[in-house]
Amino acid sequence: MDLDPPSDTFAMPAPLLPRDQVVMRLLPVFQKHGYDGASLAELSAATGLGKSSLYHYFPGGKADMARAVIERVEQWLEEHAIRPLAGPGAPERRLERMLKALDGFYGGGRNACVLGNMVIGGARQLFQAQLSAVFGRWIDALAALAVEAGVPQAAARLRAQDAVIRIEGALIVAGGLGDPAPFRRTLRRVPGDLLAQA
Amino acid sequence: MDLDPPSDTFAMPAPLLPRDQVVMRLLPVFQKHGYDGASLAELSAATGLGKSSLYHYFPGGKADMARAVIERVEQWLEEHAIRPLAGPGAPERRLERMLKALDGFYGGGRNACVLGNMVIGGARQLFQAQLSAVFGRWIDALAALAVEAGVPQAAARLRAQDAVIRIEGALIVAGGLGDPAPFRRTLRRVPGDLLAQA
DNA sequence: GTCTATAATAGGATAGAC
DNA sequence: GTCTATCCTATTATAGAC
C-alpha cells in the first residue's frame, strides 16, 4: 500500500506556465485595452490558455486578472524603480537607472501606462485603494531621493509628485499625438527638475 | 389642395433636445467610463432618450457618439481655452482665464479627461487623427502665447507641450490617488513655468 | 423624432470530461 | 491544469408602429 504517488502530483499536474508568466502575458492586454476593453477572448489568446484555465489561475475572473497585473506592475516598480532609488551610488545615477527602466517598460513612449488605464471606467472603483498605494509609494521614493540630494522636504514632495505627473501625462500626450517624442523628452528633464538645488 | 403643412413639419417633429444638448449629456458618460466602458444603456439613461432615438442622432452608433463628444470638447477648448489665449489683455490674464475654465471643466480635478480616456482601448484607432489634431492645436495656442510673452520659439513649444502633459498627468494622478489636490496645484504653477523669461 | 420590441452577437462565467 | 461545450446576461444594433 501507499504506492500511489503523492496525491498532489496526481491531481495537479504541473502547469504549462507558472502563474507569474501568465500574469506577464495578461499585462500587455490591459495595457493596450484598459480594463473594460480587455476581453476574456483576448486575454485567453494572449496567454495561450483557454478561458477555463484562466479561471483556474484567477477564480475571481477578469477583476482578479487585473488585480494580479497591477500587483505585478507594483512589484516591477518596486524592483526596477524604487529599489534602485534607495541603492548605492550618486542620486543622479540611481535616478538614471529608474528612468532607463521606465523607458524600456513603456516602449520609449509607444505603450500606455497600465496604472493610468485603471483609473477610468469600471476599474476605478475596483482598484482605487491599490492604485493610490502604488502611486503614493512611487512618489515617496522619489521624494526621499530628492531629500537625500539636498532638496528640502516640502519641496521634494512636490517635485516628486510633479515627476510622476509628468511621466503619466507624457504617456497620454504621446499616445494622443501618436508620437513618442514627448515621453522621451520628459524623461530626460526629470533629473534636473527633481534634484536641482533650488 | 396643398393644404397639408410642409412635409418636414409633419414628418419630422421638433426634437425634445437639440443635438448639442444631447452631446453634452453624453459627455460625462464617456468622461467617467471611457469609450469601451460606456454602454448604450447608460448613454440612453443619461440623455433620457431611448436607444433608437440615439441612433437617429448618431447613425454610426457609439463611435458616432464618441466622435461627437470629442468634437464638442474640441469646440469647448477652442472657445474657453484657445480663444481667450488669443484675445486682448496681458498674456498672464488670458492664461488665467483658460486655467479657470479648465478647473471648472474638470471639476477641480475630480473628473477625468475625455480626450485622455480616448487614447486607450478601442477608441485609440478610431479617433487617433482627431485626438492628435486637438492636442496639437491646444499646444500650438499655448506656444503662441508664450512667444508673445517673450519666450523664444523653440522653448515656447517645449513649454507648451509640457503644460498639456502636466494637466493630463495631473488628472491621472489625482484620479489614482483619489485626491484632486495635485491637479489644482498643477494648474497654479502653469503660468510661471510657461511664461517666465528664461 | 421617439418609442417598444426584438434581433444578433459578444461578453463573462461555469460544468464536467480528461 | 487544461480543454470543449454551454449558459446567461448585457451589449450593440435594427425593425416598425406612432
Side-chain angles (χ1 to χ4, degrees):
Chain A
M1 52 216 60
D2 228 350
L3 293 176
D4 289 342
S7 68
D8 63 333
T9 303
F10 177 74
M12 304 176 69
L16 294 187
L17 286 174
R19 185 189 153 101
D20 195 63
Q21 280 291 318
V22 174
V23 175
M24 286 303 280
R25 297 189 182 197
L26 295 174
L27 194 151
V29 180
F30 286 106
Q31 185 170 45
K32 183 170 181 193
H33 294 98
Y35 181 72
D36 292 312
S39 70
L40 285 194
E42 193 144 0
L43 292 165
S44 172
T47 53
L49 294 171
K51 294 183 190 180
S52 300
S53 300
L54 282 178
Y55 275 84
H56 171 77
Y57 286 94
F58 310 98
K62 199 165 84 159
D64 258 16
M65 300 181 213
R67 198 183 329 274
V69 165
I70 297 177
E71 273 163 16
R72 189 64 186 79
V73 171
E74 195 170 0
Q75 183 185 333
W76 184 94
L77 214 62
E78 199 74 37
E79 185 173 346
H80 293 87
I82 294 173
R83 187 154 59 81
L85 290 185
E92 291 81 3
R93 297 300 285 274
R94 290 184 251 159
L95 183 56
E96 210 54 62
R97 269 203 295 278
M98 181 193 89
L99 295 171
K100 191 81 181 173
L102 284 175
D103 191 35
F105 190 67
Y106 290 119
R110 283 181 304 277
N111 305 335
C113 177
V114 193
L115 302 178
N117 283 356
M118 295 294 178
V119 172
I120 65 167
R124 183 159 183 174
Q125 287 197 37
L126 286 172
F127 308 120
Q128 173 82 76
Q130 213 174 343
L131 292 171
S132 176
V134 181
F135 278 119
R137 184 137 177 61
W138 191 8
I139 292 168
D140 288 347
L142 285 166
L145 187 80
V147 166
E148 191 187 332
V151 180
Q153 189 89 32
R157 275 211 65 76
L158 292 180
R159 290 194 195 182
Q161 199 173 70
D162 189 55
V164 173
I165 283 174
R166 270 178 162 152
I167 290 168
E168 293 295 319
L171 289 170
I172 297 286
V173 172
L177 292 175
D179 170 17
F183 177 70
R184 311 204 69 158
R185 197 153 44 223
T186 295
L187 285 191
R188 277 199 298 276
R189 61 177 301 180
V190 165
D193 290 335
L194 180 66
L195 301 180
Q197 308 291 340
Chain B
M1 49 219 58
D2 229 352
L3 292 177
D4 290 342
S7 67
D8 62 335
T9 302
F10 178 74
M12 303 176 70
L16 295 187
L17 286 175
R19 184 188 154 101
D20 195 63
Q21 280 291 317
V22 174
V23 175
M24 286 303 280
R25 298 188 180 199
L26 295 175
L27 194 152
V29 181
F30 286 108
Q31 186 170 44
K32 184 171 179 194
H33 295 98
Y35 181 72
D36 292 312
S39 71
L40 286 193
E42 193 145 0
L43 293 165
S44 173
T47 53
L49 294 171
K51 297 180 189 179
S52 299
S53 300
L54 282 179
Y55 275 85
H56 170 77
Y57 286 95
F58 311 98
K62 198 164 86 160
D64 258 14
M65 301 180 213
R67 199 183 327 276
V69 165
I70 296 178
E71 273 163 17
R72 188 64 187 79
V73 171
E74 194 170 1
Q75 184 186 331
W76 184 93
L77 213 63
E78 199 74 39
E79 185 173 345
H80 293 88
I82 294 173
R83 187 154 58 81
L85 290 185
E92 291 80 4
R93 300 298 286 273
R94 290 184 252 158
L95 183 56
E96 211 54 59
R97 269 201 294 280
M98 180 193 91
L99 295 172
K100 191 86 180 166
L102 284 175
D103 191 35
F105 191 65
Y106 290 120
R110 283 180 304 277
N111 305 335
C113 177
V114 192
L115 302 178
N117 283 356
M118 296 293 179
V119 172
I120 65 167
R124 182 160 184 173
Q125 287 197 36
L126 286 171
F127 308 120
Q128 172 83 77
Q130 212 174 341
L131 292 171
S132 175
V134 181
F135 278 119
R137 184 135 176 62
W138 191 9
I139 292 169
D140 288 347
L142 285 166
L145 187 80
V147 166
E148 191 187 331
V151 180
Q153 188 89 30
R157 275 211 66 75
L158 292 180
R159 289 194 195 182
Q161 199 174 71
D162 189 54
V164 174
I165 283 174
R166 272 178 161 152
I167 290 167
E168 293 295 319
L171 289 170
I172 297 286
V173 172
L177 291 176
D179 171 17
F183 177 70
R184 311 205 69 158
R185 196 153 46 222
T186 294
L187 286 191
R188 277 200 299 277
R189 61 177 301 178
V190 165
D193 290 336
L194 180 67
L195 300 180
Q197 308 291 341

